[in-house]
């Protein structure tokens, strides 16, 4: 494993300038770019093949056993070879961003979790962080550490689903059920903390919605204890399997330069040999105080992406352990009645509290005028939230930079000289969540 | 068998055929249940357990469901071929059972009753011929569906079956040489007299088993019906009992291949203590278990890797094995 630990002293401008460092470990698979400019996100059938007239155009999706959600791939096949591809999106467009504009901030928090339904809490976290930036408030340390912990739990959750479905795509059907065993354990933890298994709405502007329940640390440690062993089992199933290695090594190549040109981030970028992780390079939450490595692999293929996912799960387990150890005591939410609900018992005795409560629940809190772009490292890469406030109780504009959407545009670049089976493996390795792509 | 004439009138044969076909149909039906149960257990779930005690009535429930389902046909399908294909596939698969011996010769009431339906001097060749005919069902059925996924599945079936049949046939050459006969009964008897051929013919056994798994479209060679790629391959446009017949043919082929493995490499019905058919059933179950185990563990090969493996690994090994066996048999 390459990469270095996050030193607490790394200083980066808060806006996050795109300073990308190339690592020098290993040789890249190919240098420079092989994508013509302007970068195409579709693959055209070469003229000499089209002229031969043997091209079969097949729709993979929007309803197909392999597609993640409702991705539709219009694929031109020359025998088993994929010579052209177009990704058609929009089948899961739900208008989340627009809907959020008509809801108070209070209520809009429920929406982001439903966009990327596999790393729900990170989406939620990001939106709450954006609101907090506009409110110019800082949550108490306990909330920060708990947010970090839950964000990492969600990352493991997302990566487990990725591993399981990727196994399914490659024909290793059992992996799916093994991964869902631990996923269920994580969802149980979520239920324990928030009362809901997915789409938790646990983060609140100013902190957390509730205190951490007693016994959570013990339950969480149970997961942490089994997790490294389980990851080892999965690696044993895949890494020692020549069929898996043949199916993934050298497939779906995307060089570092192309990955950057296509705006890739997260595991996609790190599997292309670019050492870039917002958790370390643009620290937020409690990450500066945690000790973790950023896995980087220079092989650029599906196997490298698999390795990054596996290593990240290990690192997340490490981080959760540190979060549990270092969890500070104290309040879980700031004591600012302008946007935090007063405690329930105060309502019976304090007129002031009752007024605040009424205003918060009926109208919502007003957020100072301004705009903010906040980013975090979600399980799929750089997740960004652009939030504009006109000073009212509802966001004037919300826009999300979805890493899945960006990853999907690399599909044509990854797909040169591939067979049908490769296409499925590549599409799986991009890890697109259609809810995140279409929003 | 040797030249001694068996006192076995024709009606015994007929009776036996009726019993064998029904017993094997039952085995095939319950092979699906066992597979689902075992896969479930290997994948941390229960498998079917709703229909009847322990889900034992599941195959019957499946059958009732399939018979009652409307058999849709795409408008683009070629009518006759589309309907006949599942029949061809199922017919050839079930016919093969007649050749598999599962017991010795019993004397009952003055008659000789053999533990097989037909002992053909060229049994092995006939079996492969039937298998090759059955493939037409899959190929034509996929083509006649008039669907792109089916067509792609058919293309894969063609290539895969043709490539792996060569290795399959070559891998048993060693067994044939050692037994000195193509009759399955003779091969089984010969093993009971000497050793199970899985020992001396270990390489042949491996090649045979791998090629057999490929021949029956089982994971990791289930490319023709790779659900994450081609939905269901040649089966995509079939529904109802037509789909059921294809499925029956596939599982019949799996059971048949397991039976053939037992006959060719594990001494057929031979074994100490227990009666022949019981030994045969035990060995059959073991081979089936291994096939299910493989399916639960391995990912799917890619098309070009499949072809490369078939032609560049299995075929040379099978040829070499046959060659070495021939030299040894002649020399010793």
């Amino acid at each position: 494993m390459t990469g270095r630990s996050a030193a607490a002293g790394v200083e980066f401008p808060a806006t996050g300038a795109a300073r990308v460092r190339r690592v020098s470990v290993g040789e890249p698979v190919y240098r420079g770019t092989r994508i013509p400019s302007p970068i195409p996100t579709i693959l055209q059938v070469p003229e000499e093949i089209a002229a031969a007239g043997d091209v079969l155009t097949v729709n993979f999706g929007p309803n197909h056993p392999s597609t993640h959600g409702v991705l539709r791939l219009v694929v031109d096949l020359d025998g088993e070879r994929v010579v052209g591809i177009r990704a058609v999106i929009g089948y899961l467009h739900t208008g989340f961003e627009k809907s959020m504009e008509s809801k108070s901030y209070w209520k809009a928090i429920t929406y982001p979790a439903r966009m990327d339904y596999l790393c729900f809490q990170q989406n939620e976290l990001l939106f709450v962080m954006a609101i907090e930036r506009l409110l110019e408030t800082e949550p108490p340390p306990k909330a920060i550490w708990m947010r970090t912990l839950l964000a990492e739990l969600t990352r493991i959750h997302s990566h487990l689903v990725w591993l399981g479905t990727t196994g399914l795509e490659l024909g290793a059907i059992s992996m799916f059920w093994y991964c869902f065993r631990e996923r269920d354990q994580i969802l149980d933890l979520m239920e324990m903390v928030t009362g809901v298994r997915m789409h938790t709405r646990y983060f609140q502007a100013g902190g957390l919605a509730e205190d951490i329940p007693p016994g959570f640390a013990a339950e969480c440690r149970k997961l942490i204890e089994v997790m490294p062993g389980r990851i080892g089992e999965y690696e044993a199933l895949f890494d020692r399997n020549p069929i898996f290695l043949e199916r993934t090594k050298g497939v779906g190549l995307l060089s570092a330069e192309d990955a950057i040109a296509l705006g890739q981030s997260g595991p996609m970028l790190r599997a292309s040999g670019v050492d870039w992780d917002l958790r370390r390079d643009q620290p937020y939450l409690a990450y500066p105080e945690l000790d973790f490595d950023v896995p980087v692999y220079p092989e650029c293929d599906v196997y490298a992406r698999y390795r990054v996912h596996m290593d990240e799960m290990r690192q997340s387990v490490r981080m959760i352990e540190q979060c549990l150890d270092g969890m500070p005591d104290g309040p879980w939410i700031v004591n600012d009645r302008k946007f935090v609900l007063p405690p329930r018992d105060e309502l019976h005795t304090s007129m002031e509290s009752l007024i605040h409560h009424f205003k918060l629940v009926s109208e919502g809190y007003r957020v100072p005028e301004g705009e903010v772009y906040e980013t975090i490292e979600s399980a799929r890469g750089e997740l960004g939230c652009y939030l504009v406030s006109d000073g009212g109780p509802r966001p004037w504009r919300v826009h999300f930079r979805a890493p899945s959407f960006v990853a999907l545009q690399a599909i044509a670049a990854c797909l040169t000289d591939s067979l049908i089976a490769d296409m499925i493996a590549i599409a799986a390795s991009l890890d697109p969540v259609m809810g995140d792509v279409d929003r | 068998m040797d030249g001694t004439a068996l006192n076995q009138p024709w009606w015994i044969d007929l009776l036996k055929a009726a019993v064998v076909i029904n017993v094997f149909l039952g085995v095939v039906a319950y092979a699906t249940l066992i597979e689902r149960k075992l896969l479930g257990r290997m994948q941390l779930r229960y498998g079917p357990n709703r229909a009847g005690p322990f889900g034992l009535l599941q195959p019957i429930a499946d059958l009732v469901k399939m018979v009652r389902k409307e058999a849709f046909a795409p408008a683009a399908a070629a009518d006759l071929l589309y309907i006949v294909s599942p029949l061809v596939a199922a017919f050839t698969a079930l016919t093969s059972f007649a050749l598999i011996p599962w017991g010795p010769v019993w004397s009952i009431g003055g008659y000789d009753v053999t533990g097989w339906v037909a002992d053909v001097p060229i049994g092995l060749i006939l079996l492969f011929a039937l298998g090759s005919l059955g493939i037409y069902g899959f190929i034509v059925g996929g083509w006649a569906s008039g669907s792109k996924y089916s067509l792609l599945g058919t293309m894969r079936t063609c290539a895969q079956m043709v490539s792996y049949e060569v290795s399959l046939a070559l891998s048993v050459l060693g067994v044939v040489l050692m037994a000195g006969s193509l009759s399955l009964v003779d091969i089984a008897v010969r093993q009971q007299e000497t050793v199970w051929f899985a020992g001396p013919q270990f390489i042949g056994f491996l090649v045979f088993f791998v090629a057999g798994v490929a021949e029956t479209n089982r994971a990791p060679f289930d490319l023709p019906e790779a659900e994450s790629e081609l939905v269901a391959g040649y089966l995509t446009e079939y529904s109802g009992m037509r789909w059921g017949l294809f499925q029956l043919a596939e599982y019949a082929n799996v059971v048949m291949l397991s039976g053939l493995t037992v006959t060719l490499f594990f001494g057929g019905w031979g074994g100490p203590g227990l009666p022949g058919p019981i030994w045969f059933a035990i060995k059959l179950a073991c081979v089936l278990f291994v096939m299910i185990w493989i399916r639960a563990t391995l990912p799917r090969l890619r098309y070009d890797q499949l072809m490369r493996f078939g032609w560049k690994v299995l075929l040379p090994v099978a040829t070499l094995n046959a060659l070495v066996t021939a030299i040894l048999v002649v020399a010793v």
Side-chain angles (χ1 to χ4, degrees):
Chain A
M1 193 186 306
T2 55
R4 65 198 172 78
S5 301
V10 181
E11 278 188 13
F12 257 83
T15 46
R19 273 211 270 140
V20 178
R21 292 171 311 250
R22 294 284 304 277
V23 282
S24 53
V25 280
E27 275 294 298
V29 176
Y30 65 95
R31 289 186 185 283
T33 180
R34 58 177 185 181
I35 310 174
S37 188
I39 299 167
T41 48
I42 60 173
L43 191 65
Q44 298 277 12
V45 183
E47 283 198 3
E48 63 272 17
I49 296 176
D54 287 335
V55 174
L56 185 70
T57 306
V58 185
N59 267 307
F60 283 84
N63 295 313
H64 185 276
S66 85
T67 47
H68 292 258
V70 284
L71 171 64
R72 176 177 166 212
L73 296 171
V74 182
V75 183
D76 299 304
L77 298 173
D78 180 19
E80 283 271 329
R81 213 151 53 86
V82 177
V83 289
I85 190 165
R86 268 184 304 141
V88 184
I89 60 169
Y91 290 93
L92 203 58
H93 178 66
T94 333
F96 283 131
E97 289 169 356
K98 198 69 192 166
S99 300
M100 286 166 81
E101 290 168 20
S102 64
K103 298 277 179 195
S104 56
Y105 289 96
W106 187 258
K107 292 171 182 165
I109 297 176
T110 52
Y111 281 86
R114 284 158 174 80
M115 292 178 187
D116 187 344
Y117 38 80
L118 291 185
C119 59
F120 38 92
Q121 283 207 311
Q122 289 174 339
N123 282 36
E124 201 176 297
L125 167 71
L126 174 68
F127 184 60
V128 168
M129 278 167 68
I131 301 174
E132 281 169 359
R133 178 76 71 83
L134 283 177
L135 287 169
E136 287 172 350
T137 181
E138 180 82 7
K142 188 178 185 180
I144 289 182
W145 281 75
M146 190 60 183
R147 284 178 179 186
T148 317
L149 192 156
L150 288 178
E152 288 311 310
L153 261 186
T154 316
R155 188 183 312 279
I156 298 180
H157 169 269
S158 174
H159 282 7
L160 278 174
V161 175
W162 177 86
L163 184 65
T165 49
T166 302
L168 215 52
E169 308 291 49
L170 295 173
I173 45 175
S174 298
M175 187 58 95
F176 186 72
W177 279 277
Y178 300 149
C179 288
F180 266 52
R181 169 181 51 186
E182 276 76 57
R183 173 182 183 264
D184 224 51
Q185 226 172 330
I186 292 173
L187 290 184
D188 283 347
L189 283 174
M190 295 287 177
E191 193 180 356
M192 189 178 185
V193 178
T194 67
V196 189
R197 290 171 76 78
M198 285 173 85
H199 312 323
T200 50
R201 206 208 170 278
Y202 183 57
F203 300 139
Q204 192 88 290
L208 309 172
E210 280 288 341
D211 197 2
I212 307 165
F216 169 74
E219 284 298 314
C220 197
R221 275 187 207 282
K222 279 187 200 162
L223 175 78
I224 291 169
E225 266 165 40
V226 295
M227 213 42 212
R230 295 277 162 81
I231 297 170
E233 279 176 29
Y234 304 152
E235 281 180 342
L237 257 178
F238 273 175
D239 269 342
R240 289 199 229 140
N241 189 328
I243 299 178
F244 178 80
L245 297 181
E246 277 221 24
R247 283 291 305 274
T248 52
K249 280 194 169 171
V251 170
L253 299 176
L254 190 70
S255 80
E257 267 160 64
D258 284 352
I260 293 168
L262 283 161
Q264 300 303 311
S265 55
M268 281 292 287
L269 194 63
R270 291 192 280 278
S272 289
V274 184
D275 190 10
W276 176 253
D277 189 326
L278 290 181
R279 287 175 292 175
R280 183 196 62 206
D281 300 328
Q282 188 191 307
Y284 56 98
L285 292 183
Y287 287 114
E289 285 157 68
L290 299 182
D291 178 38
F292 63 99
D293 298 319
V294 176
V296 178
Y297 286 85
E299 286 91 351
C300 308
D301 54 9
V302 175
Y303 182 72
R305 283 163 217 155
Y306 154 78
R307 289 280 2 145
V308 169
H309 279 95
M310 295 309 265
D311 289 350
E312 279 193 12
M313 276 200 267
R314 282 223 167 83
Q315 297 303 324
S316 292
V317 172
R318 260 178 83 191
M319 278 186 255
I320 291 171
E321 200 165 13
Q322 293 171 47
C323 282
L324 283 174
D325 291 339
M327 184 78 69
D329 229 4
W332 66 88
I333 194 157
V334 290
N335 193 16
D336 189 332
R337 295 293 152 80
K338 288 299 165 201
F339 54 90
V340 174
L341 279 178
R344 188 81 200 165
D345 55 315
E346 269 183 36
L347 297 186
H348 305 295
T349 53
S350 159
M351 189 61 169
E352 193 86 347
S353 292
L354 196 62
I355 293 168
H356 277 308
H357 188 278
F358 177 73
K359 282 293 278 179
L360 279 174
V361 173
S362 58
E363 189 198 13
Y365 44 81
R366 289 173 179 274
V367 170
E369 202 176 319
E371 59 177 341
V372 64
Y373 178 70
E374 188 80 63
T375 56
I376 60 166
E377 182 81 20
S378 93
R380 292 181 178 70
E382 185 187 327
L383 180 70
C385 176
Y386 177 62
L387 178 62
V388 185
S389 170
D390 59 353
R394 286 185 284 272
W396 189 80
R397 177 82 176 96
V398 189
H399 178 70
F400 275 80
R401 181 218 188 261
S404 302
F405 176 77
V406 181
L408 204 54
Q409 68 184 12
I411 193 162
C414 287
L415 250 176
T416 24
D417 288 333
S418 297
L419 302 175
I420 301 175
D422 290 336
M423 179 191 77
I424 303 294
I426 291 167
S429 79
L430 299 177
D431 197 10
V433 169
M434 292 319 284
D436 198 26
V437 174
D438 294 339
R439 284 166 310 220
Chain B
M1 289 296 281
D2 44 20
T4 49
L6 293 165
N7 181 17
Q8 187 175 228
W10 58 271
W11 52 269
I12 288 187
D13 269 334
L14 214 59
L15 222 64
K16 226 164 31 186
V19 170
V20 164
I21 190 82
N22 281 305
V23 166
F24 269 103
L25 270 176
V27 169
V28 168
Y30 277 87
T32 63
L33 178 68
I34 291 166
E35 162 149 55
R36 289 168 68 183
K37 276 276 185 196
L38 277 176
L39 273 184
R41 286 296 167 181
M42 289 174 190
Q43 292 165 347
L44 312 169
R45 47 193 184 90
Y46 288 105
N49 62 358
R50 297 288 104 181
F54 309 109
L56 281 175
L57 297 180
Q58 187 66 39
I60 295 157
D62 282 342
L63 180 76
V64 171
K65 182 199 79 175
M66 281 187 297
V67 170
R68 283 177 56 85
K69 236 180 181 178
E70 184 183 350
F72 285 104
D79 288 343
L80 186 65
L81 293 175
Y82 177 78
I83 294 167
V84 166
S85 301
L87 299 176
V88 172
F91 171 76
T92 52
L94 292 174
T95 313
S96 320
F97 285 129
L99 296 163
I100 307 263
W102 38 267
V105 183
W106 294 284
S107 282
I108 301 172
Y111 295 115
D112 290 325
V113 180
T114 54
W116 53 85
V117 175
D119 177 22
V120 187
I122 50 155
L124 210 49
I125 294 179
L126 184 59
L127 215 56
F128 286 139
L130 280 171
S132 307
L133 268 182
I135 293 168
Y136 280 108
F138 298 110
I139 294 175
V140 174
W143 174 81
S145 296
S147 150
K148 287 172 182 175
Y149 287 121
S150 302
L151 188 67
L152 287 167
T154 300
M155 272 161 54
R156 286 182 172 189
T157 315
C158 283
Q160 183 174 331
M161 297 292 178
V162 170
S163 327
Y164 279 77
E165 219 169 45
V166 183
S167 307
L168 194 70
L170 270 174
S171 65
V172 296
L173 217 53
V175 170
V176 173
L177 287 167
M178 288 186 74
S181 169
L182 278 165
S183 152
L184 290 170
V185 178
D186 284 351
I187 292 173
V189 170
R190 175 88 183 165
Q191 286 180 80
Q192 288 155 23
E193 287 163 358
T194 56
V195 284
W196 291 1
F197 289 155
Q201 280 294 317
F202 186 68
I203 294 169
F205 163 64
L206 284 184
V207 174
F208 176 82
F209 193 69
V210 171
V213 171
E215 197 67 10
T216 47
N217 288 341
R218 299 275 306 177
F221 304 104
D222 55 345
L223 281 89
E225 43 192 302
E227 75 279 350
S228 60
E229 294 157 28
L230 303 181
V231 188
Y234 56 83
L235 280 170
T236 308
E237 300 297 343
Y238 280 94
S239 59
M241 201 53 213
R242 290 174 191 157
W243 180 85
L245 279 177
F246 266 133
Q247 216 58 9
L248 173 83
E250 277 203 41
Y251 277 91
N253 279 330
V254 169
V255 175
M256 206 278 292
L257 181 94
S258 307
L260 196 58
T261 313
V262 171
T263 310
L264 292 179
F265 295 100
F266 293 99
W269 66 87
L274 298 167
I278 306 243
W279 266 115
F280 185 78
I282 292 172
K283 292 174 188 172
L284 190 76
C286 290
V287 179
L288 272 175
F289 174 77
V290 172
M291 290 183 88
I292 295 165
W293 193 8
I294 290 174
R295 180 175 170 195
T297 314
L298 293 181
R300 191 181 301 119
L301 279 166
R302 203 173 59 202
Y303 182 71
D304 60 326
Q305 292 160 356
L306 179 91
M307 289 293 120
R308 206 182 316 134
F309 184 66
W311 289 107
K312 291 191 177 172
V313 179
L314 280 190
L315 190 61
V317 171
T319 316
L320 216 67
N321 180 55
L323 215 65
V324 171
T325 313
I327 292 169
L328 285 178
V329 166
V330 171
V332 176

